[in-house]
Amino acid sequence: MSKEIKNVEYGLEKIFEGAQDFLPLLGTDYVEFYVGNAKQAAHFYKTAFGFQSHAYAGLETGMTDRVSYVLKQDKIRLVLTTALKSSSPIGEHVKKHGDGVKVIALWVEDAKKSWEETTKRGAKSYQEPTTTSDENGEVVTAGIYTYGETVHMFVERKNYNGEFLPGYVKWDSEYNPTSIGLKFIDHMVGNVGWGEMNTWVKWYEDVMGFVNFLSFDDKQIHTEYSALMSKVMSNGNGRIKFPINEPAEGKKRSQIEEYLDFYEGPGAQHIAVATDDIIETVRQLKARGIEFLSAPPQAYYDEIPARLGVHMDMMKEDLKVLQSLAIMIDADEEGYLLQIFTKPVEDRPTLFFEIIQRMGARGFGAGNFKALFESIEREQEKRGTL
Ligand code: FE2
């Protein structure tokens, strides 16, 4: 049995006793995207998702091969990076994968030890421990590869008071759209190739000391046409949760297979961000031009009271309002959750966002999988990729 603690800053925490917290991880530090045009991507995430200008590095700051814009909203930091020259590995990454997540950075007490412990357990090094400094102190970073070309950086910032990292300057902008209430990253999902899910589950167990605390097989996650399998990995304090998906055989093409075809390999599929008020967050996103997957059918909402049972009485939100915004609802023994999924946020049908409001529930919306995947299949149908 696991003992539990609650921490409002990171949602519902849980101590997983099977986990070995030799790192240990304090939270997500930042997520870095490699993109074709970081200036325009930054404008999109500010305007549409309510991120604030935070820090900048580029030619003006002595960076000669790339430009990076750092955006912030509550605890979430996004870094958008573009190569300045065609010879850059950043450009190669974008050429192959399109815009996508390169780095899922983890905030640690000791980056050198995190790198040593994980490489000792079989991780492939991306960057050896490196100390950088400026007038605000010093930061130690180190990195390892995870699935595909995706990287986990370990960031030790206990001796640093600057904006973001040495080399970055504060980014003051006169254009400051308001926040839409996104608070922290609840989980990030990786898509891996056929038959590779268990390899990566074992990798997160052996190399990172994570535990597998939820599993869904293709009998649970399927529609009439397609299927996938998923296992949810968590670190010891429950702050970092990485579900890992692989495609499964169905009558038609799984959404995971579509992702792998267009990303040209494994990669981050979606970033789930938490809000305390999903109705207001989704209204804002829609008003700012973000497109979501189509609403589940009427029958889905008709079944909600029966599906939620006792949690229906606790629900503060009006079901009609949730339905009008196409927000989905699920429950487990501990409470309910509200969630909705955007369409892909770039031209390739790859990365998308999930907006989630947890009202006690720790699950991932298993009760919504069928309705969700049917919505995705309607989009795949239009793309001719089902
Ligand atoms: Fe999710």
Side-chain angles (χ1 to χ4, degrees), residues 64-324:
T64 54
D65 66 332
R66 69 182 71 185
V67 170
S68 292
Y69 294 82
V70 186
L71 303 175
K72 198 160 187 276
Q73 187 163 185
D74 204 328
K75 294 200 150 45
I76 311 165
R77 274 192 291 243
L78 296 187
V79 183
L80 302 160
T81 296
T82 289
L84 289 171
K85 294 278 173 64
S86 66
S87 57
S88 160
I90 298 163
E92 290 298 320
H93 196 278
V94 174
K95 182 182 173 196
K96 182 170 172 62
H97 302 294
D99 287 6
V101 172
K102 174 63 180 179
V103 179
I104 302 166
L106 303 166
W107 174 31
V108 296
E109 266 299 303
D110 186 335
K112 181 165 179 282
K113 179 164 173 278
S114 300
W115 182 87
E116 285 169 354
E117 293 290 339
T118 49
T119 53
K120 188 172 80 187
R121 288 169 167 81
K124 184 181 161 198
S125 177
Y126 172 73
Q127 182 203 293
E128 291 190 10
T130 308
T131 303
T132 50
S133 60
D134 63 15
E135 67 278 12
N136 298 302
E138 64 175 42
V139 173
V140 186
T141 56
I144 58 171
Y145 280 99
T146 173
Y147 45 78
E149 291 197 273
T150 317
V151 164
H152 287 312
M153 289 296 287
F154 299 116
V155 183
E156 173 190 331
R157 49 172 73 255
K158 59 179 182 278
N159 299 316
Y160 192 66
N161 295 314
E163 285 305 316
F164 178 56
L165 294 173
Y168 287 77
V169 294
K170 187 170 192 297
W171 175 20
D172 278 318
S173 172
E174 289 177 16
Y175 178 61
N176 302 298
T178 52
S179 155
I180 58 159
L182 302 179
K183 303 188 81 75
F184 58 87
I185 293 177
D186 184 274
H187 60 275
M188 278 189 72
V189 180
N191 282 344
V192 299
W194 290 95
E196 290 179 359
M197 177 180 69
N198 286 326
T199 308
W200 287 102
V201 165
K202 192 166 172 1
W203 187 90
Y204 276 102
E205 287 170 347
D206 294 349
V207 172
M208 303 283 281
F210 282 34
V211 287
N212 169 217
F213 79 104
L214 273 177
S215 298
F216 307 98
D217 65 22
D218 48 344
K219 308 232 170 10
Q220 293 159 283
I221 313 187
H222 71 96
T223 65
E224 190 187 344
Y225 296 120
S226 66
L228 63 85
M229 294 189 277
S230 187
K231 288 189 175 177
V232 185
M233 307 307 294
S234 175
N235 78 319
N237 63 20
R239 288 184 186 182
I240 307 293
K241 290 188 249 358
F242 293 145
I244 309 284
N245 296 334
E246 74 171 38
E249 291 290 353
K251 280 190 211 160
K252 295 194 175 180
R253 191 154 68 150
S254 160
Q255 52 167 301
I256 310 305
E257 202 179 341
E258 183 193 39
Y259 176 101
L260 296 169
D261 285 352
F262 282 92
Y263 198 70
E264 299 191 14
Q269 179 212 34
H270 74 266
I271 304 174
V273 284
T275 171
D276 286 341
D277 184 353
I278 196 168
I279 290 172
E280 183 52 26
T281 298
V282 171
R283 277 185 179 144
Q284 285 281 339
L285 284 165
K286 289 193 172 181
R288 297 170 185 216
I290 291 298
E291 293 184 325
F292 291 92
L293 292 173
S294 57
Q298 181 61 41
Y300 168 92
Y301 287 98
D302 292 343
E303 288 162 10
I304 290 291
R307 194 146 70 76
L308 257 69
V310 291
H311 300 305
M312 194 65 202
D313 305 329
M314 283 168 47
M315 201 165 87
K316 289 183 288 190
E317 297 77 12
D318 183 340
L319 191 54
K320 289 242 166 348
V321 174
L322 295 174
Q323 183 176 2
S324 72

Side-chain angles (χ1 to χ4, degrees), residues 187 189 243 270 272 339 341 354 364:
H187 60 275
V189 180
H270 74 266
Q339 63 184 171
F341 299 83
E354 171 183 351
F364 292 82

Side-chain angles (χ1 to χ4, degrees), residues 314-347:
M314 283 168 47
M315 201 165 87
K316 289 183 288 190
E317 297 77 12
D318 183 340
L319 191 54
K320 289 242 166 348
V321 174
L322 295 174
Q323 183 176 2
S324 72
L325 293 166
I327 293 167
M328 297 195 289
I329 306 119
D330 196 26
D332 59 22
E333 317 77 61
E334 295 168 277
Y336 67 98
L337 64 81
L338 305 169
Q339 63 184 171
I340 189 167
F341 299 83
T342 72
K343 289 183 181 178
V345 290
E346 58 287 297
D347 294 304

